[in-house]
Amino acid sequence: VLTVTQQNQQIIQSMSSSISKSKAVEDDIARNVTEALEDHKERDDRRNNLIFFNVPESGATEDGEGDDIYKVKAVVRHVCQLTEVDEVTSPSIVRLGDIRKPSPDQPNPRPRPIKLVFPESAIRDRVLKNARRLKDSKFKKIGISPDKTKKEREEYEKARKEFRRRKDVLKE
């Protein structure tokens, strides 16, 4: 009877430890699913957005917003002759970040990026596809990129660092 009782206790302990392990696995799965859903939602929220880099700022104030709209529309028109860009209104074009003021370290700070929200992703994709046309034009310093999540930006940065590392190894 004593042996059977000890065996039953061992079985109960192993079952309780496996239950706690399965509970931990369930919690991990729930956390991963939640993260995946949040990531998907964030990507979905950004699917109509483009980021424009190196578009000159009109001044050191936010009053240049109208000028930013004109500049971005001119770039988009040049890239793919879109008339749909005229439908884009000023709340859809926003300078990102704080105003960058000249300092002794950086006398000519880079202009802040501009986020442009298109009414539909097809227009955004068309602009992005034809962005290579900026290369040999008066807009050659302007860059266009999809609006990426923080996680995507980190992944791209890791890939760029790895590319540079491999490139340097090949040069040696």
Side-chain angles (χ1 to χ4, degrees):
V1 173
L2 184 59
T3 306
V4 171
T5 305
Q6 289 174 346
Q7 289 174 348
N8 284 343
Q9 287 177 347
Q10 288 175 349
I11 291 170
I12 290 171
Q13 286 177 349
S14 68
M15 286 176 57
S16 65
S17 67
S18 67
I19 289 173
S20 65
K21 287 179 186 177
S22 67
K23 182 70 172 163
V25 169
E26 286 177 17
D27 291 343
D28 286 345
I29 290 171
R31 190 175 333 104
N32 289 341
V33 167
T34 303
E35 288 175 10
L37 289 174
E38 288 173 358
D39 187 49
H40 180 71
K41 183 185 180 314
E42 191 173 357
R43 286 181 189 196
D44 194 46
D45 290 344
R46 296 171 183 253
R47 81 174 182 275
N48 294 349
N49 304 349
L50 284 180
I51 305 294
F52 290 75
F53 297 96
N54 296 326
V55 176
E57 293 202 41
S58 53
T61 65
E62 292 294 325
D63 298 334
E65 183 178 284
D67 196 35
D68 290 340
I69 293 169
Y70 171 75
K71 290 174 184 176
V72 169
K73 286 182 178 183
V75 170
V76 172
R77 275 193 211 98
H78 176 78
V79 167
C80 48
Q81 293 80 37
L82 279 178
T83 56
E84 292 92 335
V85 75
D86 292 327
E87 298 170 13
V88 175
T89 58
S90 80
S92 301
I93 298 175
V94 178
R95 282 273 181 188
L96 302 174
D98 295 329
I99 297 172
R100 298 175 181 165
K101 299 188 187 224
S103 67
D105 296 336
Q106 286 218 316
N108 297 322
R110 296 178 70 185
R112 297 173 292 160
I114 296 176
K115 179 173 89 170
L116 173 61
V117 180
F118 287 98
E120 51 188 75
S121 61
I123 299 171
R124 181 210 93 145
D125 294 341
R126 189 167 154 201
V127 171
L128 199 56
K129 179 180 175 184
N130 293 307
R132 68 184 184 281
R133 292 184 182 170
L134 294 172
K135 188 176 183 180
D136 299 323
S137 72
K138 66 180 181 180
F139 301 114
K140 64 184 172 191
K141 291 186 178 185
I142 294 175
I144 301 175
S145 170
D147 190 5
K148 299 179 188 103
T149 65
K150 185 175 183 177
K151 186 177 179 180
E152 288 175 316
R153 289 191 301 264
E154 291 169 356
E155 290 171 1
Y156 278 101
E157 182 61 27
K158 284 180 188 177
R160 276 194 299 272
K161 285 181 181 178
E162 179 65 18
F163 174 74
R164 283 188 219 120
R165 185 189 67 77
R166 289 182 183 187
K167 191 175 171 182
D168 291 341
V169 168
L170 289 175
K171 285 182 180 180
E172 294 172 358

